[in-house]
Amino acid sequence: MSENRLACLRPAQLGERLAACPVIYVPVGPIKWHGPHLPVGMDPLNAEDVAIRTCDHTGGIVWPTQFWGTERERRPRQLEYHGLPKATHSVSPYTLGP
């Protein structure tokens, strides 16, 4: 297993990897709240892990992870599932405007 993340490769290494396998994996995931037990970037982190592991087996390189999208307010049922009162107003901090 060698380094396959674009941001960590030198130009010659990048050229070697792309010559051997001209594939670029682009991990993408939304920033969203999963509750107090997980980071808000859990989906993009999982996407990055899958891309790196896939690249380890197939070759190519992994583009820097794209943190795109978010989520809005939680439904009362979702709040209860996470142990919060139904009336809680919860939004991702990334959706708040000025």
Side-chain angles (χ1 to χ4, degrees):
M1 228 185 310
S2 61
E3 181 60 64
N4 49 33
R5 294 171 296 165
L6 172 72
C8 298
L9 295 173
R10 293 177 185 88
Q13 293 171 315
L14 178 59
E16 290 171 8
R17 289 196 179 47
L18 287 176
C21 181
V23 174
I24 298 176
Y25 296 94
V26 182
V28 178
I31 294 285
K32 64 184 214 179
W33 185 67
H34 288 280
H37 64 296
L38 291 172
V40 295
M42 197 68 232
D43 293 330
L45 293 172
N46 281 332
E48 180 179 33
D49 184 57
V50 169
I52 289 170
R53 289 171 184 258
T54 301
C55 197
D56 287 343
H57 292 284
T58 63
I61 60 170
V62 177
W63 192 264
T65 302
Q66 305 296 299
F67 290 78
W68 286 351
T70 186
E71 70 176 333
R72 298 298 300 171
E73 293 81 6
R74 292 277 184 164
R75 295 182 192 112
R77 185 174 170 197
Q78 291 173 306
L79 292 166
E80 283 184 313
Y81 177 80
H82 288 289
L84 298 169
K86 283 197 290 189
T88 302
H89 181 73
S90 172
V91 295
S92 168
Y94 298 96
T95 63
L96 300 177

